[in-house]
Amino acid sequence: MTAAMLVLEPIFEADLPPEQYAYRPGRNAQQAVIEVEGLLFRGHPEVVDADLADYFGSIPHAELLKSVARRIVDRRVLHLIKMWLECPVEETDDRGRKTRTTEARDKRRGIPQGAPISPLPRDNQGETAASIRMRMRRCWTDGARA
């Protein structure tokens, strides 16, 4: 999986706005905080932190695959991504018992959060938190400078 992500990640990384820090190589939460502090210091008094409820669990597989297929044409790679989306997820409860679920395959939606494939929806879904933040930032910048 890591080898595939080494190839796929740069393709989708190129489209991300600079203020997006989640799931990006060489970026972390501390850098995001420093950026926010800098914006506050430069006179931008509003800070918005958005977390979409069950975002990873609600991503429809068909739409994600269509979106990925716009950038990736190799059918074998697309098939591999589809298999990742449909694979069982193993979880361990508080008592150390392991359970497997095929909920994503059964419902044809959802990606395990933190999986190597999980950054793909960030890059490919139309109305992500990043695009919402980008529009809000434009509004604040235009309003503050007008």
Side-chain angles (χ1 to χ4, degrees):
M1 203 180 284
T2 303
M5 289 312 295
L6 287 172
V7 173
L8 294 174
E9 192 171 58
I11 294 169
F12 296 105
E13 177 75 18
D15 295 333
L16 294 176
E19 64 274 353
Q20 187 170 342
Y21 285 82
Y23 295 103
R24 294 187 74 177
R27 294 203 170 200
N28 58 44
Q30 290 81 11
Q31 292 170 323
V33 169
I34 290 168
E35 176 68 20
V36 169
E37 286 175 344
L39 288 167
L40 290 169
F41 182 75
R42 290 190 299 274
H44 297 277
E46 296 90 2
V47 175
V48 175
D49 181 22
D51 187 11
L52 304 176
D54 195 28
Y55 175 68
F56 286 96
S58 65
I59 297 167
H61 292 175
E63 284 84 354
L64 176 61
L65 288 169
K66 275 189 225 172
S67 182
V68 169
R70 287 188 211 115
R71 302 292 299 273
I72 306 295
V73 294
D74 188 326
R75 290 179 189 218
R76 294 169 296 183
V77 174
L78 293 172
H79 180 70
L80 179 62
I81 292 171
K82 183 178 180 184
M83 289 190 323
W84 284 334
L85 292 173
E86 295 176 348
C87 72
V89 174
E90 185 173 279
E91 296 179 306
T92 306
D93 66 14
D94 296 342
R95 295 182 180 181
R97 294 178 294 198
K98 294 183 179 186
T99 57
R100 282 185 158 208
T101 179
T102 58
E103 185 177 343
R105 181 181 65 207
D106 299 341
K107 293 183 177 183
R108 294 191 168 116
R109 65 178 53 245
I111 295 175
Q113 189 169 352
I117 196 77
S118 60
L120 285 180
R122 161 210 73 186
D123 304 333
N124 289 289
Q125 294 298 302
E127 189 69 337
T128 63
S131 63
I132 293 167
R133 273 186 262 129
M134 189 67 170
R135 281 192 283 120
M136 293 174 86
R137 183 176 180 195
R138 276 191 219 114
C139 290
W140 292 332
T141 303
D142 292 346
R145 304 285 179 226

